[in-house]
Structure formats: structure tokens, C-alpha cells
Amino acid sequence: MITIIAIFETKPECAEAFKDLAAPCVEASRKEEGNVSYGLYTGKEDKSKFFFVEVWKDDEAIETHNASAHFQAFAGAFMPLCAKAPIIE
């Protein structure tokens, strides 16, 4: 299994819009064949900081996810809501 943690820091006024944008991606990603778990979490003290914690079966599942329509829609739209580029580990 492979775990991915992606950290996003939004502009404070864009936090709700970011959650709304991410919600369909989270829902659809959880239904993917190679997905073990997929969650979006908000920072405890900084509500404009978000953490995706994803667990995938293997690299092939990640590649399939990255090519999916729901991920591509999210990836093509999140940057204007962010204060800086995401950190993906």
C-alpha cells in the first residue's frame, strides 16, 4: 500500500470554496477500485489549511486516479483558491 499526504493552504476567504471543490473528488476517489481510504481534513487551528490523506493499493491505482475525470477537474481548478503551491508527500 502507498500513502499520500497532500497539504493545501488556501487563501482564508477561499476555504469554503476549496472544500466545495474538493468534495466531489473525495467522494468519487473513495469509490475507485484501488483506493483503500481517502480523506480530506481541515487544520485544527488554521481552517484555511487542508490535508488529503490517501491510501492506495499500488502505483497503478494512483496512476488511474490521477487520470480520472474527477481528479483532473479538481487539479485544474484549485490553484486560484490557494495561497501557495501544495506540498505532496
Side-chain angles (χ1 to χ4, degrees):
M1 283 190 275
I2 301 167
T3 301
I4 297 173
I5 299 174
I7 304 167
F8 290 78
E9 188 174 329
T10 67
K11 299 169 189 168
E13 68 275 12
C14 296
E16 285 301 316
F18 183 87
K19 284 196 296 191
D20 291 343
L21 178 67
C25 183
V26 171
E27 183 178 336
S29 297
R30 288 177 176 162
K31 296 176 184 173
E32 290 184 50
E33 180 68 30
N35 181 257
V36 177
S37 68
Y38 198 101
L40 177 63
Y41 305 92
T42 306
K44 181 179 178 194
E45 294 179 18
D46 184 350
K47 301 300 183 195
S48 64
K49 198 173 244 189
F50 295 89
F51 305 86
F52 285 92
V53 179
E54 311 170 24
V55 181
W56 297 95
K57 180 180 171 188
D58 53 27
D59 283 323
E60 184 179 337
I62 295 169
E63 290 173 20
T64 299
H65 168 68
N66 289 344
S68 69
H70 54 270
F71 179 78
Q72 289 297 316
F74 173 76
F78 75 80
M79 203 58 213
L81 305 174
C82 291
K84 57 185 174 182
I87 298 168
I88 301 171
E89 304 268 336

